[in-house]
Amino acid sequence: MQDDVVIMYVFVMTVDVPVGGSSVNLDVAHPCRPVQFDFGVEKVRAGVSVECSRVDDLYRLAVCGLQRFEWKEFVFPDVVQQLFHGARAEKFIFTNKSNEIQVKSLSLREKISAYYLKNMKIALIGYGKMGHMIEQIALERGHEIVSIIDIDNREDFASEAFRSADVAIEFTTPQTAYDNYLQAFAAGVKVVSGSTGWIPEHGEEVRRLCREEGHTLFWSSNFSLGVAIFGAVNRYLAHIMSGFPAYDVRMEEVHHVHKLDAPSGTAITLAEDLIHAIGRKDKWVKGTFTAPDGTVSGTEACAANELRVDSIRRGEVPGIHSVVYDSEADCITITHDAHNRKGFALGAVLAAEYTATHEGLLTMDDLFQF
Ligand SMILES: NC(=O)C1=CN([C@@H]2O[C@H](COP(=O)(O)OP(=O)(O)OC[C@H]3O[C@@H](n4cnc5c(N)ncnc54)[C@H](OP(=O)(O)O)[C@@H]3O)[C@@H](O)[C@H]2O)C=CC1
Ligand SMILES: O=C(O)C1=N[C@H](C(=O)O)C[C@H](O)C1
């Protein structure tokens, strides 16, 4: 393909918008903005044909859950079916910069597959609860697991199999994550990581490695779509509550008994966002810690400018996060309650698919815009 050709994928499709009524502005209904979708139209109504260009747009649509389409034109059904779970495709058109329509087939196919997520080569670093769940979801989505590194085979960072990975997905421990990033970077492999608890010690250096030395890390304290939405609600609620000082605010997180860090990474992210929005709080502090046997340590006492975060370790709870605004008159609580680890694992694989074609320090804000 010539260098000056911009790959444009023009799809004519009927969109069934799963949220809202019969007429929905994507800007409102979904974590995306029309301009980023490049629809050529500002509003998309259920049952209306729209044009969508660029693979990125399709990818984002898939991420946003727009999965029911009636495709009127295209080719490459495998690519589309992978994203939209069964959508049918007949004809595929793309244009170059001068809008001259060209139809290409097999020579481009590989390029699209590579760009597009099919058969991505994934390495797993950490093969515990998350590593196993991620393996299952990555295989379901058509990817290949080329290397699995756990605590007892770290020499495999130097292996050809590891080096061949498009992306490594890292879920290990607060103590080991940073070294794993260094090993993967040295092997020239991009990293998606959900390990928590390493930022106070290594955050600055990791930011520098990505911003100044060209390495790529997609990190999030929580990869689930639900928590991404919850985070947006948290920011919005905090913005409202900043005008109502009669309410004091505190947070609580509950996790399984195996968790090594407290408070959870998600709680810290939510707390930092909240502090940013509420002038009367300027730092978060650890509150009480309830151990698996019910023993409570720590304290509920904190200064007015401090946001208290309580931690509870109980059974096999995958993760519950609450933000509580309490006044003399009433109490407002928002809670995210993960039923299992699937949401985290799917989010991590989606992030890996995104990371394969992006560079630098990436976050959930790159994947979902609210
Ligand atoms: N961002 C998110 O969405 C989520 C983040 N997490 C975070 O991910 C991390 C892992 O969670 P989870 O999978 O539940 O934990 P597990 O303890 O189940 O798994 C961690 C795995 O990493 C292995 N490991 C330990 N040290 C190393 C090392 N140096 N190199 C390679 N592997 C190593 C462990 O081996 P061994 O058991 O032999 O020690 C274990 O198999 C935690 O920090 C957790 O907070 C968890 C869920 C979601
Ligand atoms: O350790 C866990 O399990 C989890 N860790 C992450 C965190 O620390 O926030 C995300 C999720 O809550 C599960």
Side-chain angles (χ1 to χ4, degrees), residues 2-244:
Q2 289 159 23
D3 282 340
D4 66 343
V5 173
V6 175
I7 307 175
M8 294 277 289
Y9 307 83
V10 181
F11 303 90
V12 180
M13 61 195 183
T14 301
V15 181
D16 184 39
V17 181
V19 185
S22 60
S23 173
V24 181
N25 183 345
L26 271 183
D27 199 7
V28 176
H30 293 286
C32 56
R33 297 178 193 114
V35 64
Q36 284 171 311
F37 280 84
D38 208 3
F39 280 122
V41 290
E42 286 270 309
K43 293 188 179 182
V44 180
R45 287 190 295 118
V48 167
S49 291
V50 292
E51 265 190 12
C52 170
S53 58
R54 302 191 319 185
V55 165
D56 256 13
D57 295 340
L58 278 176
Y59 171 68
R60 283 169 183 264
L61 278 170
V63 167
C64 295
L66 285 173
Q67 292 183 351
R68 293 173 57 198
F69 298 89
E70 280 173 31
W71 299 95
K72 293 197 176 150
E73 297 185 33
F74 56 81
V75 189
F76 298 148
D78 51 339
V79 170
V80 174
Q81 277 177 1
Q82 187 185 333
L83 268 184
F84 297 105
H85 309 294
R88 294 198 174 236
E90 280 146 25
K91 198 170 146 206
F92 185 81
I93 304 169
F94 57 98
T95 67
N96 68 7
K97 276 182 191 156
S98 57
N99 280 335
E100 183 186 320
I101 304 260
Q102 302 171 358
V103 180
K104 299 204 178 187
S105 55
L106 281 181
S107 60
L108 248 188
R109 200 184 182 94
E110 276 183 11
K111 198 157 199 160
I112 288 168
S113 295
Y115 182 61
Y116 214 146
L117 335 173
K118 191 174 175 233
N119 279 339
M120 241 173 60
K121 291 183 176 184
I122 294 179
L124 298 177
I125 309 174
Y127 199 43
K129 293 182 282 300
M130 284 301 295
H132 278 83
M133 182 74 59
I134 287 165
E135 177 183 42
Q136 185 188 322
I137 288 176
L139 292 174
E140 278 167 17
R141 289 179 69 81
H143 303 306
E144 189 186 348
I145 305 295
V146 291
S147 171
I148 298 178
I149 296 183
D150 208 54
I151 195 155
D152 49 4
N153 66 327
R154 294 178 49 76
E155 65 281 3
D156 283 3
F157 274 114
S159 69
E160 206 36 61
F162 182 79
R163 287 174 179 278
S164 75
D166 297 306
V167 181
I169 305 184
E170 199 272 358
F171 280 75
T172 61
T173 72
Q175 292 73 34
T176 53
Y178 172 66
D179 188 52
N180 290 334
Y181 305 161
L182 298 185
Q183 298 269 7
F185 292 162
V189 176
K190 295 175 173 183
V191 180
V192 168
S193 173
S195 293
T196 48
W198 56 270
I199 291 194
E201 206 176 335
H202 302 293
E204 260 322 300
E205 175 61 3
V206 169
R207 268 186 280 276
R208 194 191 66 74
L209 287 168
C210 294
R211 291 190 176 139
E212 293 173 23
E213 296 198 13
H215 297 296
T216 295
L217 171 70
F218 190 130
W219 182 80
S220 174
S221 58
N222 197 307
F223 277 100
S224 72
L225 171 62
V227 161
I229 295 168
F230 186 70
V233 173
N234 174 51
R235 289 191 289 275
Y236 186 56
L237 183 59
H239 171 70
I240 294 172
M241 299 309 283
S242 66
F244 297 94

